[in-house]
Each structure stands twice: as C-alpha cells, then as structure tokens.
Amino acid sequence: MNHAILSASGAHRWMACPPSARLELQFPTTTTEYAEEGRFAHALAVLKLSRAVTNTIKPSVYRKRLAEMQKHPMYSQAMEEHIDYYVSQVAELFLARKKQCLDALVLLEQRLDFSTWVPEGFGTGDVVIISDGSVEIVDLKYGKGVPVSAEGNPQTRLYGLGAIATYEMLYDFSRVRMTIIQPRLENTSTEELTVEELLTWAEEELKPKAQLAFAGEG
C-alpha cells in the first residue's frame, strides 16, 4: 500500500470519528479536478524548490522541466505566481534556520514514519527543515475554499512526530515548528511546541484514538 489507512491528511477525521478510517476502505478511491490541480501544484513547487532552495538540479534541467510543465493543461501563470510566493516563504524560513545553525538541512517530499503512535502510520512532508535544536514542517495547501490553520492541526503534528522519530539520533531537538502556507489566500500560520508538549499530545490524545481507529472501533 502506498497510502496509510490512518493517513496524516485524514487525521482530523479519524481522530474525531475513529471507525471512519475502516469504513472508508469499503469505497473505491476517487479523485477530483481540484485534487489533481493540487497534485500538479505540489509537483511544480518541488521543481522550483529544487532549484531555489536545495539547489539540487542544474539550471538547464530546471528550465527544461519547467517548460514541459508549462505545457500541461493544469498549468496557469497564476498558479506559477502562487507557487513562487510559496517558494519565497520556504526560502525565508530556511535562511532563518541557517543563521542559527550552519548545518541546517532542508528535505523535500520526505517520507515520515509516525508508526510509534499510529499503527502503520506514515506520510509525506512537503518540506522538512532540520537543525540542531529544532525541526520545522512546512505544508503547502493549494486550495482556496477554506483557510487552514496550523494551530492544533493533527496532520502537521503527525509530520512533526515523524521527523522527530527519524532524525532524533542526529539532532538534539527541543522545539517543533509546524507551518502551513496557503498561497492563494496569502495565509501563513505556524504552531510551535516543545518536543515534550508534542509527545504528550501524541501519547495522551493521538495514540488511544489511533488504536481505536485501526481496530475499527470507537
């Protein structure tokens, strides 16, 4: 399976109604035009971040791939402007971390395992910035229908847990920052917790509900 039964993106739902996760398995997976647009926007964001932030592709390769994406039916100049706004926000966050820790590292589309608290739980973090003392999760929300806040957001908290579990052997984390950027609404919000606060939430609230949800109970 390439999709967790207890997904991070669906955590707000299965934490509120644990049996819903197993119930959903009875229905075929479908998609919408909005979902496909979001996937394409994320792909464009990864391309631009790979050049502007991680500098992991050559300029010639970047220009070729961008030209190909600009021919896609989902592409629009407005989308590119929104993604450029998002990329600039991520770049600012990373530069701020670099000033505090020269060894700061930024990772794109990182698989994050939070199965310590959620059975078989994993997800993909859009951007993970890790440095000595802190880990930051950055999540792109391309939709514009409803403003999304990072405050108390279980999806970004799960990604934070996954990052801690993956990198705590390399970095001494004390704080976790989780940022959601919604460029079409120019909406950026951040929640910052101590690692202890996040782990307490995971043990006391998340884990019991995840166990119920995985069993189809509750």
Side-chain angles (χ1 to χ4, degrees), residues 141 148-158 178 180 191 201:
K141 299 295 186 189
V148 181
S149 173
E151 288 290 335
N153 190 296
Q155 179 179 7
T156 49
R157 286 187 177 191
L158 283 170
M178 293 148 288
I180 290 177
E191 177 180 58
W201 171 82

Side-chain angles (χ1 to χ4, degrees), residues 16-17 24 39 48 50 63 102 105 109 111 113 131 133 146 149 155 166-167 181 195 202-203 214:
C17 179
E24 287 178 349
R39 291 189 185 93
K48 286 182 169 286
S50 297
R63 290 192 294 268
L102 293 177
L105 179 66
E109 295 294 299
R111 180 186 167 103
D113 187 309
S131 60
V146 179
S149 173
Q155 179 179 7
T166 303
Y167 298 106
I181 301 175
V195 168
E203 289 293 334
F214 194 73

Side-chain angles (χ1 to χ4, degrees), residues 160-181:
L161 289 168
I164 291 170
T166 303
Y167 298 106
E168 64 182 350
M169 296 295 291
L170 301 176
Y171 292 84
D172 183 19
F173 298 129
S174 60
R175 304 196 69 82
V176 186
R177 283 171 53 90
M178 293 148 288
T179 297
I180 290 177
I181 301 175

